[in-house]
Amino acid sequence: MQNKDEVRKVIQSCVGTKFIARWSDLACDIAMDAVKTVSMDMAGKKEIDIKRYAKVEKIPGGTIEDSRVLKGVMFNKDVTHPKMKRRIENPRILLLDCNLEYKKGESQTNIEIMKEEDFSKVLVMEEAYIKKICDEIIAFKPDLVITEKGVSDLAQHFFNKAGITALRRLRKSDNLRVARACGATIVNRTDEITEEDIGTSAGVFEVKKIGDEYFSFIEECKDPKACTILLRGASKDILNEVERNLQDALNVARNLWLEPALVPGGGATEMEVAYTLSQMAKSLNGVIQWPYKAVATALEIIPRTLAQNCGANTIRSLTALRAKHAVEGEKNVNWGVNGETGELTDMSTLGIWEPLAVKLQVAISILLYS
């Protein structure tokens, strides 16, 4: 995986026939950068969760060349109070999963007010509760407070006086990405906050207006294990298609990062395995040979389908390909069907490679269902 040029060739063979082919270099760079960012070593084993920690954010406008991988995260949120700071350098970030407003009763609650003073007492109780939880937060001097729940007007007032910026009702998935990017821990209760829970790895927090909406950016993180892929394009339809193509590139990069092993594409691998199984079947007697023949026939569907899609003569192409693989020698192992012309070609010369992890998964499926 250290040789980026070789990895780029494999990803380009994946996106080369798709809509994003015109920007294949950009797509390859985005895929490699995103996968490298979210890669983690967990007890000696690599973990790359691109579905959870590499979010694709699509914003219509601009050109596809403006797309990039952020060294951090972004989400569609604005500050809760207009006087709060919209740009903070090296912020101390506190992430919460609790309400910063008066707690309502879990079951139906009735309050009987007999005098005018009683209503004032209820308001004082609410204000005292909000002030208590805000003081517990302010004591740790965070610059940015993000919660998955609500923030009351009174809490916004206390935060604004303390010079703290607050964001509310952030999705759980986005909050997890922020936690990874800035090194914070999501806290469930304000009285359980510790100094270790504060995230200090982010370089800058900034709110930007793109089009008609406001987006919060947490960027320049020291070692982000989460990222946001910002896609720009002319329309939503184009962006949706680019995202679908990019997901393929991301999965190829992920498979190569986890298991950097390649096999030739174009049906070459399937035909070689099919030929080997056929030879094994000939050496066996009785009904035991039929499972080998069945799997061999199932594997030949891949080169047959490629030939059909090109409009080539399927029977002649398959017969010629079998003959190629029947000749002993390492060079013939790489021969497959050219997906554009339908001719038999050496896949190593054409530069068509596929991750071994995908082929193994396909082989397991064929063995289970054939």
Side-chain angles (χ1 to χ4, degrees):
M1 282 302 292
Q2 301 303 319
N3 193 331
K4 285 191 175 182
D5 292 333
E6 293 299 321
V7 176
R8 182 179 278 107
K9 285 179 184 177
V10 180
I11 301 174
Q12 280 179 337
S13 68
C14 164
V15 300
T17 56
K18 296 181 172 65
F19 173 78
I20 205 172
R22 283 178 57 192
W23 303 276
S24 59
D25 285 339
L26 177 64
C28 293
D29 289 338
I30 287 174
M32 288 189 289
D33 198 4
V35 168
K36 186 178 179 181
T37 301
V38 302
S39 176
M40 284 188 72
D41 285 323
M42 305 286 284
K45 188 179 179 182
K46 279 185 181 177
E47 183 214 60
I48 305 174
D49 194 344
I50 54 176
K51 187 176 181 181
R52 187 177 296 178
Y53 296 113
K55 186 184 180 185
V56 177
E57 196 75 48
K58 298 168 289 187
I59 303 177
T63 62
I64 291 177
E65 286 84 354
D66 297 330
S67 303
R68 60 193 175 100
V69 179
L70 303 179
K71 291 295 181 186
V73 294
M74 66 166 285
F75 38 86
N76 191 358
K77 289 288 175 186
D78 192 9
V79 295
T80 56
H81 194 283
K83 289 187 178 180
M84 287 178 176
K85 295 176 187 174
R86 289 170 176 267
R87 180 182 169 84
I88 306 169
E89 292 187 3
N90 301 315
R92 288 168 54 82
I93 301 174
L94 175 62
L95 304 180
L96 298 171
D97 183 18
C98 59
N99 281 306
L100 298 180
E101 52 193 359
Y102 192 68
K103 209 171 184 180
K104 296 176 182 176
E106 292 183 7
S107 57
Q108 191 173 356
T109 307
N110 294 321
I111 299 175
E112 188 174 342
I113 296 174
M114 304 296 292
K115 296 180 289 183
E116 186 180 339
E117 294 80 10
D118 294 340
F119 186 71
S120 299
K121 286 180 182 178
V122 173
L123 293 176
V124 168
M125 286 170 61
E126 286 191 19
E127 187 172 332
Y129 173 76
I130 297 296
K131 191 170 190 318
K132 172 182 170 290
I133 60 175
C134 287
D135 287 343
E136 289 170 348
I137 292 169
I138 293 167
F140 289 90
K141 298 179 180 177
D143 298 308
L144 176 64
V145 174
I146 302 174
T147 180
E148 296 172 27
K149 305 292 185 356
V151 179
S152 68
D153 291 345
L154 188 59
Q156 292 175 36
H157 167 71
F158 289 132
F159 285 152
N160 190 42
K161 279 182 68 177
I164 296 172
T165 299
L167 301 176
R168 62 183 170 188
R169 296 192 177 91
L170 189 69
R171 289 179 183 173
K172 184 74 177 178
S173 56
D174 286 331
N175 214 15
L176 288 169
R177 274 188 287 275
V178 175
R180 263 217 189 184
C182 69
T185 305
I186 299 172
V187 184
N188 296 309
R189 291 163 56 100
T190 55
D191 55 359
E192 294 177 352
I193 300 171
T194 62
E195 182 61 33
E196 289 73 27
D197 297 327
I198 306 293
T200 56
S201 298
V204 63
F205 162 77
E206 190 172 8
V207 178
K208 298 178 184 177
K209 188 178 183 183
I210 303 175
D212 297 328
E213 298 186 75
Y214 288 95
F215 292 87
S216 294
F217 291 77
I218 298 174
E219 291 189 87
E220 298 175 21
C221 300
K222 292 174 186 173
D223 185 23
K225 293 301 177 185
C227 66
T228 299
I229 300 169
L230 176 59
L231 290 184
R232 305 302 307 274
S235 68
K236 286 183 179 179
D237 292 331
I238 287 175
L239 285 173
N240 288 335
E241 184 62 29
V242 169
E243 183 191 12
R244 281 192 290 271
N245 298 167
L246 191 61
Q247 287 297 339
D248 293 339
L250 284 167
N251 285 313
V252 170
R254 173 186 172 275
N255 289 331
L256 288 176
W257 204 270
L258 287 173
E259 191 172 350
L262 300 173
V263 291
T269 305
E270 288 82 359
M271 183 55 80
E272 181 64 24
V273 176
Y275 172 73
T276 305
L277 290 173
S278 299
Q279 292 303 107
M280 287 182 67
K282 289 177 182 178
S283 65
L284 300 170
N285 296 319
V287 295
I288 197 169
Q289 66 182 290
W290 293 107
Y292 290 88
K293 288 185 177 181
V295 174
T297 304
L299 286 166
E300 285 186 2
I301 290 172
I302 303 298
R304 181 186 289 117
T305 304
L306 283 170
Q308 283 176 343
N309 289 345
C310 300
N313 188 313
T314 310
I315 297 172
R316 285 184 181 178
S317 296
L318 277 180
T319 305
L321 193 57
R322 281 196 206 100
K324 278 283 184 186
H325 284 264
V327 178
E328 291 185 4
E330 291 184 6
K331 290 184 179 179
N332 292 333
V333 171
N334 295 332
W335 279 75
V337 180
N338 187 325
E340 293 179 345
T341 63
E343 297 174 355
L344 302 187
T345 315
D346 187 342
M347 293 295 115
S348 59
T349 306
L350 202 60
I352 303 298
W353 299 97
E354 297 182 23
L356 176 62
V358 176
K359 287 297 180 189
L360 290 175
Q361 190 65 45
V362 171
I364 291 168
S365 302
I366 290 172
L367 288 169
L368 287 173
Y369 296 107
S370 63

